[in-house]
Amino acid sequence: GVMANNILPARMGELVRCHLAAGDAHVARTRVFSSIFVERSLDVLCLFALTMLAFAQDFGAVWPSRIALLALLLILLILGFILAVVSAGQAVPRLVGRMLPRSCREKVAGRLAELIAAFRGGLPPLRLDLRNMKIMAYALGCWVVWAGFLYAGLAAFAIQIPLVGVFMLTGIINLGVLAPSSPGFIGPFQFICL
């Protein structure tokens, strides 16, 4: 998926990853897609946490609060989508079925119900238990390691910034390139870095 993101636009590498993983594991693509969705949601949540840690410092600028607000809105949209899918059950297919002509109502509503069920099957149980806490700690640890590599890279070029600044850069750069963009993130990455 990451390799395909470097040559395909609009983060289509995630779809390639979904297709390949579904074929290898003999699992429905929607189920694999939901697990990728959860993984990316955890990434956004961890990056938001690191960025908020940095924004707790007073830098005297307005733009950090705007980025924080954008990240918070993104997290709320993701959580809202997950809650809607988890709680939807048969309500969404029935609602969509009422809006369609009778000739295709059952077929479309049935297929939509299957897709929602498969997507829900790939979501982990939404509760605060030891397993989910370990997953969250692992994701946060991965981003802290990424920040450590950034710190080492900056130090190699004799660029000294405080550790909190490294967390801010980690959050801003990675939240910036999470959005669909051009192949290899050419353009958005440079803009975010500047």
Side-chain angles (χ1 to χ4, degrees), residues 65-150:
S65 61
R66 290 183 181 158
I67 291 175
L69 180 62
L70 182 64
L72 180 61
L73 288 174
L74 184 60
I75 288 171
L76 291 176
L77 282 172
I78 290 169
L79 290 175
F81 178 77
I82 290 173
L83 289 174
V85 167
V86 167
S87 64
Q90 294 298 321
V92 173
R94 278 195 303 261
L95 180 65
V96 170
R98 289 183 194 144
M99 293 186 269
L100 295 172
R102 290 181 192 248
S103 59
C104 64
R105 185 177 293 175
E106 285 184 31
K107 184 177 180 181
V108 171
R111 181 67 181 139
L112 186 58
E114 289 172 12
L115 288 173
I116 290 173
F119 189 86
R120 287 171 68 185
L123 294 175
L126 297 177
R127 60 180 180 265
L128 201 58
D129 60 3
L130 184 60
R131 178 180 172 265
N132 287 344
M133 293 295 285
K134 285 180 182 178
I135 292 170
M136 186 66 183
Y138 176 74
L140 188 58
C142 288
W143 286 112
V144 168
V145 167
W146 195 97
F149 284 126
L150 177 61

Side-chain angles (χ1 to χ4, degrees), residues 19-28 32:
H19 175 73
L20 293 174
D24 288 348
H26 304 292
V27 178
V32 173

Side-chain angles (χ1 to χ4, degrees), residues 43-64:
D43 285 343
V44 169
L45 189 61
C46 290
L47 290 169
F48 180 71
L50 289 176
T51 306
M52 287 299 95
L53 175 71
F55 288 153
Q57 307 295 315
D58 184 18
F59 293 108
V62 175
W63 63 268

